[in-house]
Amino acid sequence: MKAEEVKQANHQSNESINLENLSVFERTQQVIKQALGKLGYEDEFYELLKEPLRLLTVRIPVRMDDGSVKIFTGYRAQHNDSVGPTKGGIRFHPNVTEEEVKALSMWMSIKCGITNLPYGGGKGGIQCDPREMSFRELERLSRGYVRAISQIVGPTKDIPAPDVFTNSQIMGWMMDEYSRIREFDSPGFITGKPLVLGGSAGRESSTAKGVTICLREAAEVAGIQIEGARVIIQGFGNAGSFLAKFLHDAGAKIVGISDALGALYDPEGLDIEYLLDRRDSFGTVTNLFPPQLTNKELLVQECDILVPAAIENQITEENAAEIKAKILVEAANGPTTLKATEILTEKGVLIVPDVLASAGGVVVSYFEWVQNNQGYYWSEEEVEEKLEKILTASFHNVYDTSRRLKIDMRLSSYIVGLRRMAEASRWRGWV
Ligand code: GLU
C-alpha cells in the first residue's frame, strides 16, 4: 500500500485541523471520532465516548516527615463501563493534569478493547514528585488517595494498577487501605501487587514482554531480523529496562538508551547487563557517564527500530522527518503527535501504537484479577503463554485491519478497540 493512500484514507477529516497543536486529550478525541466514523456509528456514540463518564478530583492532606501538612491533588477518571468495570493505572508525577488523566483513561479503553478484556478504561494520577518524598510520606499519600476515591473504586467497579513512578509496594499499601475500609481482604481491588499479597507471576515484566511480542511481529511483517537489529530505547524505567534485557537476550543490538537526565549511544551496541545492574529504582543510569547526548538527539540517531518508552510528545512535527528507524514501537503512552504520525507514515515507517504495544501490562493485570477472584494461582509459564496468545492475535487483528482499510495502525487500533464498547453501550440502551 502506498503511503499517500494511507494518508488520504486516514486523515480525510483532518484537513481543517492543526494536528500539531492538539493536546493529548484532544488528540484522543480526534482519533476516536475518526474511528467511530469509519465504523459507521452515529454522532451519539462519539458524544458518549469523547469524555470519561466519571471524573473525581480529590485533595489529599498528607503529614510530611518534618511535621508540616501538604495538600496533594489527585484524580480518578472512568471512561466507560459498558463492557465491565473500568481498569487502569495510577501515576505519581508532578505534571499530572485532569486532561492527561482523562486521555489516559480513554487509551485504557482502547487497550482493553484490542485485547478483548472484560473492562472499560480508567486512570488515576496524583500531582507529586515521588523522587523527593520519603518512603513513609509516599505510604501516607497512597493511603490517603485510596480513602479519597474509595467510593468509586472496587474489584467489580474500577481496578487500579501501577503506572509512571508507582510500583508494587504502593499497590500493597493501597490494597491494605482498601481492605481496611471494606473490612475484608480485597486483593482484587488493585493489580500489580507484590506476589505475597496476591500479585501475579510475570506482572512486573509484562509491559515489556508485550512490547517485545509486538515488536517481533512488526519486525516480521516489515522483513527485519531481530537478531542484529539496531534498537534505540528512550527511557530506562520499568518498560524500557526489561525491554532492553529481552531484546538483548534475543540478539538485538541496543545502540541507544536514555533516562530523564540524558542519553547514551554506541553504534557497536551498549553493555546492557552493566547498565541494568547500575540503574537506580527510577531508571537513572546516564549520570554514571560523562554527558553524551540529550533525549532529543538520541531519537534521530541511526537505528532500525525506535522504542519511545518514557513520556508523551517526544516525536513531533519538528523531529519526525529526521527519524531514521523503519519501525516505531510506542512502549510509552502518547509519545507521538498526530502530525508526526502522518509524517512517519508518509516516510513508510511502520508505527505500532501505544494502545497496542503497551497493552501487555493490563493483560497480565487482568490475569492477576482473575487469579484473585478464583483464589487459584498460575505459574509464570502459564501467564506468559496466555499473554503471548492474546497479544499476537491482537497485533495481527490491528495490522490486518490497517491493511484492509488502508489506514495507519493508530487508527486501526482505535477501530478494533472501540467496536465492542460501542456495541455494549448500544445493547445496554445507552445510545
Ligand atoms: N498503567 C498500565 C497501562 O497504562 C497498566 C494498567 C493496568 O495494569 O491496569 O497500561
Side-chain angles (χ1 to χ4, degrees):
M1 180 186 28
K2 290 195 204 74
E4 192 52 32
E5 271 178 358
V6 176
K7 194 186 163 199
Q8 274 181 12
N10 217 29
H11 294 305
Q12 278 156 349
S13 54
N14 275 350
E15 262 129 51
S16 54
I17 297 165
N18 183 345
L19 295 178
E20 199 60 8
N21 292 342
L22 300 181
S23 67
V24 281
F25 177 61
E26 291 164 335
R27 209 154 93 195
T28 311
Q29 290 188 320
Q30 178 65 17
V31 189
I32 289 181
K33 189 169 201 167
Q34 283 177 26
L36 291 171
K38 285 233 171 265
L39 285 165
Y41 285 108
E42 302 82 10
D43 287 350
E44 284 91 344
F45 285 87
Y46 175 65
E47 285 305 310
L48 177 71
L49 297 171
K50 73 176 188 185
E51 287 262 352
L53 287 178
R54 196 171 295 111
L55 173 75
L56 185 63
T57 304
V58 294
R59 306 219 327 124
I60 312 148
V62 174
R63 176 78 57 196
M64 305 304 277
D65 290 346
D66 66 4
S68 66
V69 172
K70 213 169 152 185
I71 315 292
F72 292 88
T73 301
Y75 307 95
R76 184 75 192 168
Q78 299 171 345
H79 177 225
N80 183 290
D81 54 6
S82 59
V83 173
T86 46
K87 175 99 192 78
I90 298 167
R91 62 173 56 181
F92 283 9
H93 199 275
N95 301 342
V96 163
T97 62
E98 181 183 311
E99 277 233 320
E100 183 196 51
V101 172
K102 287 199 307 191
L104 286 160
S105 76
M106 289 146 85
W107 298 344
M108 286 309 303
S109 284
I110 314 287
K111 291 188 202 189
C112 296
I114 294 174
T115 50
N116 210 16
L117 310 182
Y119 297 134
K123 199 75 167 203
I126 303 178
Q127 274 165 15
C128 66
D129 194 343
R131 291 163 294 194
E132 283 171 6
M133 295 173 70
S134 73
F135 193 70
R136 288 297 158 217
E137 287 169 348
L138 276 175
E139 175 177 358
R140 291 192 282 271
L141 177 63
S142 304
R143 290 183 184 278
Y145 177 71
V146 170
R147 287 194 297 277
I149 63 165
S150 67
Q151 290 295 317
I152 64 161
V153 289
T156 54
K157 271 191 187 171
D158 180 16
I159 306 124
D163 198 79
V164 175
F165 290 162
T166 52
N167 55 25
S168 57
Q169 171 63 80
I170 291 175
M171 300 304 111
W173 290 326
M174 290 188 170
M175 191 279 269
D176 182 67
E177 191 66 24
Y178 185 82
S179 297
R180 288 183 194 202
I181 294 169
R182 294 280 171 259
E183 297 184 336
F184 50 81
D185 196 39
S186 308
F189 153 65
I190 203 162
T191 58
K193 300 179 293 294
L195 277 179
V196 291
L197 294 183
S200 175
R203 173 63 183 88
E204 217 193 336
S205 59
S206 57
T207 306
K209 264 268 144 63
V211 179
T212 310
I213 295 168
C214 289
L215 188 148
R216 184 195 65 208
E217 297 302 307
E220 198 178 325
V221 299
I224 293 176
Q225 288 270 97
I226 294 285
E227 179 126 27
R230 295 163 308 160
V231 184
I232 291 178
I233 302 173
Q234 187 201 25
F236 214 50
N238 173 284
S241 62
F242 274 114
L243 181 67
K245 180 177 169 18
F246 295 150
L247 292 177
H248 176 68
D249 292 350
K253 207 195 269 182
I254 314 296
V255 291
I257 64 115
S258 73
D259 57 26
L261 305 175
L264 304 172
Y265 182 80
D266 182 349
E268 297 310 315
L270 297 164
D271 185 347
I272 291 304
E273 266 139 41
Y274 176 78
L275 295 174
L276 287 171
D277 191 48
R278 302 297 300 274
R279 70 186 275 281
D280 73 10
S281 62
F282 293 104
T284 315
V285 73
T286 61
N287 53 349
L288 301 174
F289 302 86
Q292 250 196 25
L293 293 178
T294 62
N295 262 282
K296 236 177 159 179
E297 289 162 344
L298 178 70
L299 295 172
V300 298
Q301 299 299 312
E302 286 293 338
C303 68
D304 301 303
I305 302 170
L306 173 62
V307 186
I311 48 172
E312 286 135 36
N313 297 332
Q314 297 302 296
I315 302 170
T316 64
E317 187 173 22
E318 248 174 53
N319 60 1
E322 290 166 65
I323 301 270
K324 313 284 188 310
K326 301 174 194 82
I327 305 178
L328 173 71
V329 183
E330 298 179 340
N333 287 311
T336 315
T337 64
L338 290 185
K339 189 68 200 168
T341 302
E342 259 186 27
I343 296 170
L344 292 167
T345 306
E346 252 176 90
K347 269 170 55 121
V349 178
L350 178 64
I351 303 178
V352 186
D354 47 7
V355 283
L356 171 62
S358 73
V362 71
V363 172
V364 178
S365 271
Y366 164 62
F367 297 158
E368 181 173 332
W369 179 76
V370 169
Q371 293 170 78
N372 294 151
N373 289 346
Q374 64 187 7
Y376 176 73
Y377 289 82
W378 311 341
S379 67
E380 187 156 355
E381 292 73 51
E382 258 177 292
V383 168
E384 281 185 8
E385 196 184 304
K386 289 184 165 75
L387 173 66
E388 171 77 43
K389 243 189 212 158
I390 292 183
L391 274 188
T392 310
S394 302
F395 177 90
H396 287 285
N397 194 4
V398 170
Y399 180 74
D400 295 348
T401 304
S402 85
R403 298 294 105 165
R404 201 176 60 247
L405 300 178
K406 297 186 169 44
I407 53 177
D408 67 49
M409 282 181 66
R410 191 179 313 287
L411 182 53
S412 70
S413 290
Y414 277 62
I415 289 179
V416 171
L418 282 171
R419 187 184 280 134
R420 190 185 51 160
M421 184 165 275
E423 280 311 299
S425 300
R426 193 207 296 279
W427 280 99
R428 280 183 189 263
W430 293 356
V431 252

